[in-house]
Amino acid sequence: CRNRRQTVMEEGEEETCARIEREVRDCLGDPNAAQLGNDPTLLRQKSYVDELEMEVDEEEEQADEKKKLMKEKLWKLMCTYLPCDVLSLQKSIVQHVEYTLARRRYKKDKGSFYQATAVSVRDRLIERWTDTQQYLSSKDTKRVYYLSLEYLLGRNLQNAMSCLALRNRYAAALEELGYKLEELTEEERDPGLGSGGLGRLASCFLDSLATLNYAAWGYGIRYKYGMFEQRLIGRAQAEFPDFWLKEGYPWEVERPDVQYLVKMYGQLEEDGKDPVTGRPRVNWVGGEDVIAEGFDIPVPGFHTWNTNNLRLWTSKASCEFNLGSFNDGQYYAAIEEKERSEPLTSVLYPCDNNAPGKELRLRQQYFYVSATLQDILRRYKKRPEHSLLDLPRKVAIQLNETHPAIAIPEFMRLLLDEECLGWKEAWHITQNTFAYTNHTVMPEALEVWPLPLMEQLLPRHLTIIYEINHHFLGEVRARWPADQGRVARMSIIEESEPKLIKMAHLAIIGCHRVNGVAQVHTGLLCSSLFPDFYEMWPQKFVNITNGVNHRRWMLQANPAMSAVISKWLGSHDWIHDLGLLARLKDLSSNPELQRDWQEAKMYNKRKLADFIERECGIVVNAAAMFDVHVKRIHEYKRQLMNILGVAYRYLRILSLQQEGNTEALGQMVPRVVIFAGKAAPNYFVAKDVIKLILAVAGRVNNDARIGDLLKVVFIPNYNVSMAELIIPGTDVSQHISTAGFEASGTSNMKFCMNGSLLLGSRDGANLEIEQSIGKDNMFMFGANTKEVDQLRRTINFRKPQMDGRLRWVLEEILSGRFGATFHDLVNSLQPGNDGYMVGHDFGSYLEANEVVDSIFKNPPAWTTKCIDSCASMSRFSSDRCIREYAEKIWQVVPHQFKPPGKVANVD
């Protein structure tokens, strides 16, 4: 394999590679280390020691004096920040190997030294985290709480080091100990806390919130197992458990002191009337109690002291062991409660196409929402001067999709039943505290719950939902007194069999703001998905287009290109202000910049080619066009159209060879088409698409006639770390969802920031990216949203003529050329069945690919477009996005923590 590798460096390329790696080290250096407290003489803040927590059982005057002495002593013991010189870092690492991990420091063990290094970095995060939280508490700032069912954090080690400006120091410390930082990084597993763009967006938001110095916490679930580990067996996807916690997770801090009781099931009992409000009092009794315990992960800001928190909940039994049952010989009954409670947080997104799966998923959602709201209220009530009526002035809660929407009736329950507020006051607080982000375009994807399930699992919440609906529909009837159809459409309860609870309606009614995540998506919310609500409350609906953390996706993922940008801009300031990239537009045709850009791209492509050979056993030519389509496998994302286009390209090459048309063959651009993504275990159409991709890949890659003109690769088990390798090495990236189906998309932003060009449909954020980078720098095709809507509504009355090229491909598939005949997939593309417009858009898709080929053959023109595109992406930074949330929804301002100064005499 090595002898026939196409990525072997030619003469002079080793020197180029070495130069790029030197520039990368400079780019990832520690320019702001002194300002970030990496000087051991910096004092920690003394006034943050909380005397209220220092209990002393003595007379008041003596107690006050003793508290002062204790405070002074405790502060002096840790009055300066941990030293961050190379020798101190080495001592810290080795001490953690020996004392924290109880391993031998002399033994060559990359796993142990990764863990020790991670804990060493975490030590430095925790002291900043502690001081940040105490500072923000002293300022009594308004806090943002972000509720998301998933977070795709990616690896933490290099990100944390970069945020602390300590990467090069740790690299030097490890090198002297016999380890390379890059090798230790590979020991870290991606946390299995999410499945796609929703979770990655949430993680980008947490990063930007900390970097911009906003007081914010994220809340979610600490899943024991991720979605699944994807393997390819027999040219098909196979699912295996993703036990990402197998080796532990050194970035988290268990909080056995942070526990809350969460009740489920049971029944309601009336208990007279409230003497103040006159309302009937209801007791929720019986049922099942589960303990929620917190695990904290510090979230550092980039080159700032501020460090926020992600708190994840794990479930525990309220009764660990029933000794009475055990003594009676009922051994399973003795641990039955434990066995039922702990699996609650075991698996991300349990299969919900059956009744037990639905029940488990609703239990998960309520479990983490209840624990979160109890935690928020506890923190708020710690200050005696805080009144619950003022809570919206100090607390903003953002619901990331409808998964946490059960928070609205749960918050009402806590205010009504636990805090004894009246309905009017509780509803005012709730509405002015919550906001809701919608990420869904398809009505069938909006979350609903069977009413009988809600009644069984959360009987108190169902009564609250009924009352919310009663008050709301009263407002609707008052405004539109004769419109019963509107009342039925807007009701939270769908009168079906069984009745359903529409969580999106509950979220809209219970929140003061509702935002879409792209201009076209927000337009669809107002015009198609929720037009009645928009007509009633137009002021509620706002657009905030998604963004991504460019520090993660450019600086960390693509340091080679970042070094080129810093070199030509003359500083690293663009890392903090992405708008400075615009200055590259005036230089995009400069031959020297283009040479640097092309060398950085080739450096990244060689790394990706090495990975593909190592992991997939496929040798690819790094000089070929790397054409990438990586995302969750779904019909509307149209990986099917891509692989059909690849099959057509294969058949076309063979046809030209048979014709002896060497001129046309010579004009064809060599392509490496790279797929990655998971299909949901019970989504059989998507799994068939993977089978077709693998079948075409098997045929193409083993056909000696094709050579390097075409290769097809499917990389299994796609995750954040893999994306950080694939995205920088991409030439053209495909974002080809059916128009009107993708709310936004964020991977399109990441690819464009990394200097790849986009082949895209007229959907989601593609349209806004086109506005920013210019139509000439993007390859758009296919029907727009209005056209798709019209085509879908008339699908049963039209007899469209199938594109001849598509017919050719489908006939070859049915003939068995690619192994299996894939009858179901082929049938889904027949007129009347093609709901995702693959057949309609196929011709324009192939034509767009031809334009891609023609420009790729002109490297200066291609590189100019890449630089111009990258330089135009500042509006898609998550920093801009978070500032808009802060202004339009949360009404919060930054509060930057800084250490008080240099040490004087502390003795």
Side-chain angles (χ1 to χ4, degrees), residues 423-483:
W423 180 272
K424 185 177 179 180
E425 293 85 357
W427 186 241
H428 174 80
I429 294 168
T430 299
Q431 270 197 318
N432 287 280
T433 300
F434 284 89
Y436 160 50
T437 300
N438 176 281
H439 295 271
T440 304
V441 176
M442 298 178 287
E444 61 270 22
L446 293 172
E447 192 168 53
V448 296
W449 292 112
L451 190 146
L453 173 60
M454 186 72 71
E455 186 173 34
Q456 173 196 4
L457 181 62
L458 302 171
R460 177 62 177 129
H461 298 73
L462 182 59
T463 65
I464 292 172
I465 290 171
Y466 276 144
E467 189 152 0
I468 292 172
N469 202 41
H470 172 73
H471 287 286
F472 168 68
L473 292 183
E475 293 180 45
V476 175
R477 291 188 180 98
R479 184 162 177 182
W480 293 284
D483 196 343

Side-chain angles (χ1 to χ4, degrees), residues 140 145 374-395:
D140 195 18
Y145 297 104
Q374 292 182 65
D375 199 42
I376 292 170
L377 283 174
R378 175 197 58 80
R379 188 173 300 109
Y380 176 78
K381 290 165 63 178
K382 279 178 69 175
R383 297 182 75 96
E385 69 272 22
H386 278 174
S387 163
L388 285 172
L389 296 177
D390 293 331
L391 187 139
R393 294 177 52 246
K394 297 296 182 181
V395 172

Side-chain angles (χ1 to χ4, degrees), residues 783-798 800 834-835 837 840-841:
N784 62 31
T785 300
K786 290 183 179 179
E787 292 167 341
V788 167
D789 183 55
Q790 175 68 16
L791 289 166
R792 285 172 63 86
R793 282 191 284 109
T794 61
I795 192 170
N796 294 322
F797 309 103
R798 292 181 292 105
D834 186 15
M837 302 297 122
H840 182 275
D841 287 352

Side-chain angles (χ1 to χ4, degrees), residues 265-282:
Y265 304 102
Q267 57 276 338
L268 302 180
E269 292 180 352
E270 290 191 10
D271 187 22
K273 291 188 177 181
D274 187 286
V276 177
T277 65
R279 291 170 50 83
R281 285 192 302 203
V282 176

